[in-house]
Amino acid sequence: MHNDSMRAVRGAAAFESAVLENGLTVRVHPMPGFTGVHAVYGTKFGSIDRAFTADGKRVDLPAGIAHFLEHKMFENEEGDAFTLYAKTGAVANAYTSFDKTCYIFSATNRVDENLDILLGFVSRPYFTAATVEKEQGIIGQEIKQYDDSPDWRLMFAVNQCLYHTHPVRDDIAGSVESIAKITPEILYACTDAFYRPQNMVLAVAGNVTMDDVLAACARADLPVRTGTVERAPCQEPLTVAEAHREFTMAVAKPVLGVGFKEQPPQGDALRAEIVCDIITELICGSMTPLYRLLYDEGLVSPGFSGEVLSLPGALSFLFGGETAEPERVRGLLLDEIARLQREGADAELFTLCKNQLYGELVQDLENVEDVASTLASSFFRGRTPADEIETLASVTLDEVNAALQTMLCTDRSATVIIRPAE
């Protein structure tokens, strides 16, 4: 990559950072000239965090608790945070993924008030038996809706085939049975363990300054939490739990998923993730021979693609989408992987794929929402957006070809097919 363009990207990826006395990390990217502000207040607590030790005592958690907690945090004795946001005109939301929970708002004015609302409700949890029971009914309905989504069902079916015990097997929202075990006491134990400032980040981008954000943190007077919390590691073998699974759903065409289980990276996870992303693009990205073949012959629908899942204790590839001929498409995919392993990746295509990924990283620095989200998600992985761009720039074709020799083994793969219900 050219030095001038690298300098320009570094400038775009630059942000201000502070760690407060209570341990909270604050990342701010002032973007003068932009009208809006986007804020993400997140904690490193997601659906895969299912057991921890607090001050020497082990606590096991039911599936879906991080997502359940995300819903409950919006309420306290005074009422509902959405009502407060409605008065300021902000748009607010939250989401839970495998490894984090984030609370977000976008606003064009009254930023100080919106930051006060955000920091207020997330740092002062309030749970009762009655509100927990009410939420169990609401989330039970949400779980049933997810059960009707083929993409969602496919992802978890592949994860269940690849993994024996890792919590990535379990739906992020849990099951009706698992959330029935949730009590106010368990929720308070989770907020004490994971909603402590040293486990959290406040990332803000847009028409805002670091001083504005630090002043909001000072007003919030966030509680300090002492003591030690350790996540319980998961022991997962490299073998797959199940090689093949089929089931039926209300789908117009069959849906295929082919997953490959890999050794989780030791040490530099960022580099391993970027190598895997490049490999995915080289196999079935929009510029590849396989992609052209699949589309020219009308074998797949437009959503057919590959993605990489990288989490503590888990690394895997998932290729899939709609296809009238799942067995044939699976065969073509395996043939293309074998060809790349045999011949190595094409140098020109490698450069194109790398440039495409580079373009996606740079694009994430161009609007307020993406910048704040990127600052938060990179914090949870112990890095910065500039680290990601510089690591991508330094990855070589030799490195990718070496990785192809050890990854994507058919004996560590699983195939899932969803057939249309009669």
Side-chain angles (χ1 to χ4, degrees), residues 357-380:
L357 290 170
Y358 172 68
E360 287 166 13
L361 287 176
V362 173
Q363 209 175 345
D364 286 345
L365 303 171
E366 288 175 355
N367 75 57
V368 169
E369 286 88 354
D370 287 342
V371 171
S373 301
T374 300
L375 287 180
S377 59
S378 60
F379 162 81
F380 291 123

Side-chain angles (χ1 to χ4, degrees), residues 136-197:
Q136 282 162 334
I138 294 166
I139 293 180
Q141 293 302 313
E142 193 179 316
I143 289 167
K144 291 192 178 92
Q145 285 172 346
Y146 278 117
D147 282 347
D148 294 333
S149 161
D151 292 344
W152 194 253
R153 290 279 302 277
L154 182 78
M155 175 172 71
F156 284 101
V158 172
N159 287 351
Q160 285 161 13
C161 287
L162 293 179
Y163 291 93
H164 296 262
T165 59
H166 195 287
V168 79
R169 290 171 50 88
D170 297 324
D171 193 308
I172 289 168
S175 64
V176 172
E177 295 74 30
S178 70
I179 63 169
K181 298 172 186 164
I182 294 173
T183 62
E185 292 73 27
I186 296 177
L187 293 173
Y188 280 120
C190 288
T191 54
D192 284 346
F194 297 108
Y195 280 69
R196 44 180 63 208

